[in-house]
Amino acid sequence: MTGRNSKNNGRFLEMTAAIALLLTFLFVTSTCKNGGRDGGSSSEPARDVTDAREDTSITVRDMAGREITFDRTPERIIGLRAGALRLITWLNASDMVAGIEEPERNADRPYLFAHPELRERPVIGPLMGGDAELLVAARPDVIFMTFATSGQADELQNQTGIPVVVLDYGDFAERRGVLLESLELMGRVLGREERAEELTRFIRSSIRDLKDRTGDVNSGERPRAYVGGISYRGAQGINATEPHYPPFRFAGIDNVAADLDEQLINPIDGTFIDKEQLLMWNPDVLFVDLSSWQVVQPEIRSGTPLYNGLSAIGEGRVYGLLPYNNYAANYEHMLINAWYAGKQLYPGRFDDIDMADKADSVYKAFLGRGVYDQVSGTMNGGLRSLSGEL
C-alpha cells in the first residue's frame, strides 16, 4: 500500500509540474505577442478591440422617431432636401460632404459663398429628394434628410442601404427649439456636439441681446411695419408677406400682418394679402425682401396707387432686407435683418452697430467666414434704403 501510494504520488507530482510548465509557456508566449501589459506593441488584445468598437457606436432617435445605430462616426455625409446642406455647413462639416443636389452648384446662398468647394462635389440628383443610384455611388455613411416623413426615410434607406436621419428644420418663431434639437442630433451623429452647443449659445445670446435693447418699449410706442416680397418658390410681389416674421419680433417692431386670420397664413406655399389691405394698414415703415425687389419695385414706384397711398413711401421709410427664403429659411439672414431693422427704427438703441461688421460676424458664427460682400453683391448693394430707387 505504501509503495503503491508513493508511486502514485510521484506520478501526480510529475503531472503537476508538467501542467505548471505548460501554463508558464503559454503565459510568456501570450505576453510577448501582446507586447506585455504596459503595451510595448501597437497590437491590442481582441477583447480590447471589441470594447473600442462598442465605445464608438451610438444609437440615435431621429426627428421622425426612428432609431438608427452607427458602429462608428460617419466620415462621408449627404444633406438631402431644403436646408439640410445649410445645417451641415453650420456644424463645420462641409469637408465631409460626399455629394450635393444639382441646383446647389449655381445657387447664390451664403453657405455656398462660404464653402465654394461644395459646388465641385458629385451630383446626387435633383432638389428635394436626390436619386437613389447617384446616392449609392457617392458612398455616404449617412444621409441627413429634411422635410421627410418616417415612411419616406425608410423607403430611401431600403433603396440605398444607407442610414437616413430625418431632421426637422423648425423655424425661428414658434419652433426654434425643434431646429436646435436637430442641430444637437446632427452633432451626436458626427461627433460635433461642442460645435452644436456653441452655435445654440450664439443664437440664443443674439436673440436675447436684440430683445434686451427694445424690451422696455411699450406696445403702443412700437413702430408698425410691414414686410413684402417674401420669396416663396421664387420672387413675389409686395402682397407676399410673413405674419410671424421673426426679425420684427426680435427687434421690438409691431407687424401689421400679425393679426391675419390663421386660415390665410401658409408658411409653405406663402401668405398673400390684398394690396387694398396694405393701404388700410398704412404701416409706419415698409420693408421689402430684396430677393423680390425686381417684382416689387414696379408696384410701389412713383405714380402707383401704393406710392400715393402709403405714408411710409412718401416719407422715405422703405428699406431692403436680405432674403428670408432660399431653399428653406435663411436663419442667418433673420438675425442680420433683425439688427438692421432695429437700427433703422431705434437708432439710439443700436448706435453701436455697424451693419457690415454685424452681418459678417453672424456669417462667421454660422459658416466660419464673412460673406456679406458676396451676398450683397447679388442684390445690388444689400441692406439699404430703397426710397431713392422709387
Side-chain angles (χ1 to χ4, degrees):
M1 293 290 293
T2 301
R4 187 176 302 162
N5 287 338
S6 297
K7 290 181 179 180
N8 289 339
N9 288 339
R11 290 173 183 165
F12 175 78
L13 291 173
E14 290 174 0
M15 291 177 63
T16 300
I19 291 172
L21 181 62
L22 178 60
L23 289 174
T24 299
F25 173 79
L26 292 174
F27 175 78
V28 171
T29 302
S30 175
T31 301
C32 291
K33 287 182 177 180
N34 293 326
R37 181 177 297 177
D38 293 332
S41 167
S42 60
S43 301
E44 293 292 337
R47 183 173 60 84
D48 291 343
V49 172
T50 302
D51 289 345
R53 290 196 186 108
E54 291 175 353
D55 288 344
T56 59
S57 68
I58 63 165
T59 297
V60 299
R61 185 180 296 276
D62 71 9
M63 303 302 285
R66 303 162 57 253
E67 284 195 352
I68 306 100
T69 297
F70 296 90
D71 294 331
R72 58 184 177 83
T73 302
E75 297 178 355
R76 295 172 60 83
I77 64 179
I78 277 176
L80 204 58
R81 299 194 173 186
L85 185 58
R86 179 182 286 109
L87 296 183
I88 287 172
T89 60
W90 285 8
L91 290 180
N92 296 337
S94 60
D95 59 320
M96 304 172 70
V97 174
I100 62 172
E101 293 169 322
E102 195 277 332
E104 296 271 28
R105 285 174 168 261
N106 300 310
D108 291 333
R109 295 171 186 145
Y111 57 89
L112 293 170
F113 289 136
H115 301 282
E117 72 278 2
L118 290 174
R119 301 180 192 272
E120 305 304 319
R121 297 289 194 272
V123 170
I124 47 85
L127 294 176
M128 295 303 293
D131 177 271
E133 292 186 6
L134 293 175
L135 286 166
V136 171
R139 299 179 294 108
D141 300 314
V142 61
I143 297 171
F144 291 109
M145 192 175 187
T146 57
F147 299 97
T149 64
S150 176
Q152 290 170 331
D154 286 340
E155 180 180 6
L156 182 62
Q157 188 166 295
N158 292 334
Q159 287 177 334
T160 62
I162 301 164
V164 176
V165 174
V166 175
L167 305 173
D168 191 324
Y169 200 67
D171 61 43
F172 250 21
E174 305 300 332
R175 302 178 65 247
R176 186 163 61 248
V178 174
L179 168 67
L180 299 181
E181 285 182 34
S182 287
L183 278 179
E184 179 184 3
L185 170 64
M186 295 176 72
R188 286 193 62 205
V189 173
L190 301 179
R192 306 208 173 186
E193 296 94 336
E194 290 186 8
R195 170 56 185 164
E197 291 174 5
E198 176 187 36
L199 193 53
T200 294
R201 286 193 301 270
F202 175 81
I203 292 171
R204 287 175 172 163
S205 65
S206 296
I207 293 172
R208 185 167 54 249
D209 187 356
L210 283 159
K211 290 184 174 181
D212 285 348
R213 291 172 183 257
T214 60
D216 62 341
V217 180
N218 295 327
S219 59
E221 299 174 354
R222 294 174 181 267
R224 298 169 58 255
Y226 174 83
V227 58
I230 298 292
S231 172
Y232 295 104
R233 297 186 176 90
Q236 303 294 337
I238 191 67
N239 63 324
T241 192
E242 172 50 68
H244 304 304
Y245 196 61
F248 288 175
R249 292 187 176 194
F250 300 158
I253 301 167
D254 282 348
N255 188 342
V256 295
D259 294 329
L260 275 180
D261 189 317
E262 287 295 326
Q263 294 182 344
L264 300 176
I265 300 174
N266 190 325
I268 302 300
D269 296 322
T271 300
F272 298 87
I273 64 165
D274 293 329
K275 292 179 181 178
E276 291 74 13
Q277 178 64 67
L278 180 56
L279 287 168
M280 291 175 61
W281 281 333
N282 193 22
D284 302 321
V285 186
L286 183 65
F287 289 96
V288 178
D289 189 303
L290 289 168
S291 66
S292 298
W293 181 227
Q294 73 275 18
V295 177
V296 172
Q297 186 183 35
E299 297 178 314
I300 63 173
R301 65 168 41 133
S302 179
T304 63
L306 290 177
Y307 181 93
N308 295 328
L310 293 176
S311 59
I313 298 179
E315 297 172 11
R317 294 193 299 272
V318 184
Y319 303 97
L321 297 174
L322 301 180
Y324 179 79
N325 288 320
N326 194 342
Y327 204 34
N330 279 316
Y331 292 124
E332 312 96 308
H333 286 178
M334 290 189 200
L335 289 180
I336 296 170
N337 287 344
W339 289 106
Y340 180 72
K343 187 171 179 65
Q344 303 313 308
L345 304 190
Y346 298 101
R349 295 171 182 256
F350 289 81
D351 59 359
D352 60 319
I353 301 299
D354 177 272
M355 277 314 305
D357 290 344
K358 174 56 72 173
D360 269 340
S361 72
V362 173
Y363 287 130
K364 288 176 183 177
F366 281 95
L367 305 171
R369 64 189 65 175
V371 293
Y372 180 64
D373 283 347
Q374 291 167 279
V375 172
S376 61
T378 66
M379 291 170 291
N380 301 316
L383 299 164
R384 66 189 187 274
S385 170
L386 299 175
S387 296
E389 300 177 40
L390 299 175

